[in-house]
Every structure is written in C-alpha cells, then in structure tokens.
Amino acid sequence: MPARSCSAHGGVVQPTVPSPRHRDGDACRHARALTVAGCAFPPPPVANGPCVTAQFLAGSLRVRSMGMPLLLADSPAVCTPTGTPVVTAGVQPRVRAT
C-alpha cells in the first residue's frame, strides 16, 4: 500500500493486515481494515478527533488481488470520526493500474 497521511492532522494510515500475496507486503486490497496512528487533531469538546480508522471509497477497476480491488495512489479515502480525506504521501512506482 502507498504510504498515506491523514491530511492536515499528520497521522499515518496503515493496513491492519497486509495482503499475503504480495512480496513487498505493501499492496493493500480495498476491503482491508486501516488504522490511523499519530493524528494530532484534538478530541471532544475541542474538536471531533483524533482520527482512528480510515475507509477507502474506491479501488482499482481492473486490477484485483484475491478477488478484491487494489488501492491506488488516487483511491479516495476518509478518516473517521473526523471525515478528513486521506492524502497519498508516496506510491509504489513499478505498477500502474486503473
């Protein structure tokens, strides 16, 4: 999976279980659970943070792993409970998909 950060809050999004079929362990399938670590957004009553999990809204249309779409550099995602978008910080440059 590409390295991702939780937008303005600085948290890092990681899959809870990487795909077992990828040698580098970084590919992430769409349905995998994702956790957010290090989010600096304050908790209630100041704000609605910190970000705890992330949910991807779409993955690859053509490339699949174990029957599930792979996440792409431009796959949209949202952190919960804040609703902050997840922003890609780096990608695996050897594979391209749509």
Side-chain angles (χ1 to χ4, degrees), residues 30-73:
H30 183 272
R32 295 254 181 213
L34 301 163
T35 59
V36 179
C39 178
F41 205 56
V46 177
N48 66 340
C51 299
V52 178
T53 61
Q55 177 66 45
F56 283 86
L57 308 174
S60 170
L61 297 175
R62 296 181 181 176
V63 181
R64 295 180 177 267
S65 173
M66 300 170 65
M68 298 298 299
L70 290 178
L71 296 175
L72 305 173

Side-chain angles (χ1 to χ4, degrees), residues 15-34:
T16 55
V17 180
S19 178
R21 297 195 65 186
H22 297 91
R23 188 179 71 208
D24 63 6
D26 287 338
C28 188
R29 294 180 297 148
H30 183 272
R32 295 254 181 213
L34 301 163

